């Protein structure tokens, strides 16, 4: 039905940081959920949905979901909802990527 395309740009430096080059990698996914999980885990702001050969729409990754910085700020203020504990005793960046990897995106939605 629809195809989802995620573009990832990577900067590389060569020869004592004198030369820089950008490499663009394009990943295609069949479902929205797989493309969203990949975009969240790689911290990509937008990805596109290919409807037909001529029509292509853009989806914003962080419109409905928290970024890493936002998640750390909110989880330290309200750890009972996000961590089910009263104090923060774990590494929140690892927990953020655990939630993405295990497809538990309900805790990452903005209220």
């Amino acid at each position: 039905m629809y195809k989802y395309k995620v573009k990832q740009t990577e900067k590389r430096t060569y020869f004592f940081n004198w030369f820089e080059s950008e490499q663009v990698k394009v990943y295609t996914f069949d479902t929205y959920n797989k493309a969203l999980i990949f975009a969240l885990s790689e911290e990509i702001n937008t990805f596109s949905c290919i409807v037909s050969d001529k029509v292509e729409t853009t989806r914003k990754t962080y419109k409905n979901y928290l970024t890493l910085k936002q998640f750390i700020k909110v989880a330290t203020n309200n750890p009972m909802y996000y961590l089910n504990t009263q104090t923060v005793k774990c590494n929140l960046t690892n927990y953020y990527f655990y939630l993405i990897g295990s497809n538990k995106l309900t805790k990452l939605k903005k209220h």
Side-chain angles (χ1 to χ4, degrees):
M1 190 169 174
Y2 296 135
K3 296 280 185 182
Y4 296 94
K5 181 171 60 174
V6 181
K7 289 183 183 178
Q8 183 181 25
T9 59
E10 185 177 318
K11 290 184 180 180
R12 292 191 178 187
T13 58
Y14 300 102
F15 196 64
F16 303 112
N17 296 332
W18 288 352
F19 301 107
E20 288 186 359
S21 67
E22 287 188 1
Q23 291 182 342
V24 177
K25 294 181 181 179
V26 178
Y27 300 97
T28 57
F29 297 97
D30 294 332
T31 61
Y32 173 76
N33 196 22
K34 289 180 183 178
L36 179 66
I37 288 172
F38 182 77
L40 282 171
S41 65
E42 295 294 324
E43 298 179 351
I44 299 171
N45 291 332
T46 58
F47 60 95
S48 59
C49 172
I50 302 170
V51 179
S52 67
D53 293 336
K54 296 181 181 179
V55 179
E56 188 172 316
T57 62
T58 303
R59 311 284 182 177
K60 294 183 180 179
T61 307
Y62 297 114
K63 182 179 179 182
N64 296 326
Y65 295 98
L66 297 171
T67 62
L68 179 61
K69 290 181 182 180
Q70 291 172 348
F71 177 75
I72 291 172
K73 183 178 179 181
V74 172
T76 54
N77 290 338
N78 189 7
M80 194 64 179
Y81 175 74
Y82 292 99
L83 305 173
N84 296 328
T85 60
Q86 292 185 1
T87 58
V88 179
K89 294 183 180 178
C90 66
N91 189 354
L92 291 176
T93 57
N94 290 341
Y95 186 65
Y96 176 79
F97 290 114
Y98 165 74
L99 290 174
I100 293 170
S102 62
N103 200 8
K104 296 180 182 179
L105 300 177
T106 56
K107 291 204 176 197
L108 297 179
K109 283 196 172 186
K110 291 182 181 179
H111 297 296

